[in-house]
C-alpha cells in the first residue's frame, strides 16, 4: 500500500460530461502529481501541485483543471469529456524534496467515456 | 520520436530465466534513471534508482546505465511468477520527480 488514496476507482460517463477525480497524498507529502495512462501514450504527466500551488504543467488539456486544497488533497476536474479521454488517471505524491525520483502512486481511477 | 523508447513486449519467459528489459533515450541531459514496476490494476512502484552511468544491484535485480549509448537495462535473475508485471523505465535531467519522463512499459509474464 503506497499510502496514496484515489477515488473513485472506476467511473463511466458520457461524452460532454464533467467528472472530478480525488486524491489524498501520503501523510506528510506536500507534492501531488497527476498522470494519464493510456495504451497508446503510456504514462503522461499532466500537472503538479506543491503545498497548494501549481508547480509544473505537462500535457494537460485546457478542458482539464486541478487544484490542491489546504489539507493537501487534490482534485482533477475533467470537462467536456471526449471518447479519447478514456484512460487510467493516476495521482502520485512525493515529499517534494530534490534528488529523488521516487513517486508514490495511488491505484488509479479508470475513466470510461461512452 | 519519443524521448524515451521502450519495447512494449509482451515478453513471456519460463520461471528461473534471466530477463533483460531495455530502454533507449535521446535526451543527453538525463542523469537520473529509474525502473518502476506496475502490477495489474495497481499504480507503478519504484523498483530501482540509479544516477549517471554504471551498474546497481539489489537482490535479483540489476540496473545498468550506458550514457554513451543512451541505453539503460534492467536484468532480473532467477525470475519468479511474482515478477509478472509491466516494467516502466523513467528518467530525469535532475533529481526532481516532476521532470520524469516515462517509457511506455514492457509487459512481462513469468510462467511457472
Amino acid at each position: 500500500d503506497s499510502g496514496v488514496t484515489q477515488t473513485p476507482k472506476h467511473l463511466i460517463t458520457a461524452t460532454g460530461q464533467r467528472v472530478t477525480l480525488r486524491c489524498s497524498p501520503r501523510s506528510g507529502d506536500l507534492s501531488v502529481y497527476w498522470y494519464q495512462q493510456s495504451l497508446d501514450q503510456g504514462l503522461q504527466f499532466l500537472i503538479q501541485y506543491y503545498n497548494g500551488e501549481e508547480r509544473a504543467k505537462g500535457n494537460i488539456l485546457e478542458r482539464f483543471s486541478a487544484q490542491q486544497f489546504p489539507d493537501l488533497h487534490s482534485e482533477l476536474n475533467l470537462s467536456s469529456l471526449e471518447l479519447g479521454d478514456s484512460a487510467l488517471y493516476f495521482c502520485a505524491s512525493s515529499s517534494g524534496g530534490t534528488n529523488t525520483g521516487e513517486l508514490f502512486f495511488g491505484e488509479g481511477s479508470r475513466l470510461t467515456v461512452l | 520520436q519519443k524521448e524515451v523508447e521502450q519495447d512494449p513486449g509482451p515478453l513471456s519467459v519460463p520461471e528461473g530465466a534471466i530477463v533483460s528489459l531495455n530502454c533507449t533515450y535521446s535526451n543527453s541531459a538525463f542523469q537520473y534513471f529509474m525502473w518502476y514496476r506496475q502490477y495489474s490494476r495497481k499504480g507503478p512502484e519504484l523498483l530501482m534508482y540509479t544516477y549517471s552511468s554504471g551498474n546497481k544491484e539489489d537482490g535479483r535485480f540489476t540496473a545498468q546505465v550506458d550514457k554513451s549509448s543512451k541505453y539503460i537495462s534492467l536484468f532480473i535473475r532467477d525470475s519468479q511468477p511474482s515478477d509478472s508485471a509491466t516494467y516502466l523505465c523513467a528518467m530525469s535531467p535532475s533529481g526532481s520527480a516532476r521532470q520524469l519522463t516515462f517509457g511506455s512499459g514492457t509487459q512481462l509474464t513469468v510462467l511457472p
Side-chain angles (χ1 to χ4, degrees), chain B residues 65-87:
Chain B
V65 175
D66 182 350
K67 290 184 65 180
S68 63
S69 302
K70 296 189 177 68
Y71 188 87
I72 71 170
S73 301
L74 177 70
F75 297 96
I76 307 174
R77 291 186 301 279
D78 188 24
S79 56
Q80 302 295 310
S82 58
D83 295 328
S84 298
T86 297
Y87 290 80

Side-chain angles (χ1 to χ4, degrees), chain A residues 10 33 35 37 40-43 45 48 55-56 88 90 94 97-107 110, chain B residues 2 32 34 36 38 41-46 49 86 88 92 94-105:
Chain A
H10 301 277
Y33 305 75
Y35 284 84
Q37 188 177 43
D40 57 341
Q41 292 292 322
L43 201 59
F45 169 64
Q48 180 209 357
R55 183 60 67 92
L88 260 175
F90 284 105
S94 75
T98 57
N99 298 321
T100 174
E102 184 161 18
L103 293 171
F104 295 88
F105 284 84
E107 295 195 350
R110 182 174 295 279
Chain B
K2 293 182 179 179
Y32 295 82
M34 283 135 273
Y36 277 78
Q38 184 176 14
R41 303 186 185 283
K42 298 289 186 182
E45 57 179 347
L46 183 66
Y49 179 100
T86 297
L88 302 105
S92 168
S94 71
S96 174
R98 69 173 174 264
Q99 293 181 301
L100 276 178
T101 300
F102 283 86
S104 55

Side-chain angles (χ1 to χ4, degrees), chain A:
Chain A
D1 184 0
S2 67
V4 178
T5 304
Q6 287 188 249
T7 57
K9 289 193 186 305
H10 301 277
L11 196 54
I12 301 175
T13 189
T15 55
Q17 295 299 305
R18 172 190 169 95
V19 298
T20 297
L21 310 179
R22 183 188 167 101
C23 169
S24 294
R26 283 191 328 156
S27 177
D29 282 355
L30 300 179
S31 275
V32 168
Y33 305 75
W34 286 98
Y35 284 84
Q36 180 191 60
Q37 188 177 43
S38 58
L39 282 175
D40 57 341
Q41 292 292 322
L43 201 59
Q44 298 286 313
F45 169 64
L46 296 178
I47 197 164
Q48 180 209 357
Y49 279 81
Y50 177 81
N51 202 21
E53 293 189 3
E54 182 184 304
R55 183 60 67 92
K57 258 186 177 179
N59 301 320
I60 188 166
L61 300 171
E62 285 192 11
R63 300 182 286 106
F64 296 0
S65 65
Q67 55 184 325
Q68 186 179 28
F69 295 87
D71 66 353
L72 300 178
H73 91 271
S74 178
E75 292 181 355
L76 179 67
N77 300 296
L78 314 174
S79 61
S80 302
L81 286 167
E82 302 175 359
L83 296 178
D85 297 328
S86 295
L88 260 175
Y89 291 85
F90 284 105
C91 169
S93 74
S94 75
S95 62
T98 57
N99 298 321
T100 174
E102 184 161 18
L103 293 171
F104 295 88
F105 284 84
E107 295 195 350
S109 293
R110 182 174 295 279
L111 173 66
T112 302
V113 182
L114 300 175

Side-chain angles (χ1 to χ4, degrees), chain B residues 8 15 17 24 27 30 33 42 68 78 83 90:
Chain B
E15 182 175 353
T24 59
N27 187 347
F30 287 143
F33 304 90
K42 298 289 186 182
S68 63
D78 188 24
D83 295 328

Side-chain angles (χ1 to χ4, degrees), chain B residues 6-14 17-22 74-76 79 83-87 105-111:
Chain B
Q6 185 175 6
D7 186 340
L11 182 62
S12 185
V13 302
I18 296 174
V19 177
S20 172
L21 305 169
N22 311 294
L74 177 70
F75 297 96
I76 307 174
S79 56
D83 295 328
S84 298
T86 297
Y87 290 80
T106 300
Q107 186 180 345
L108 170 68
T109 300
V110 181
L111 302 169

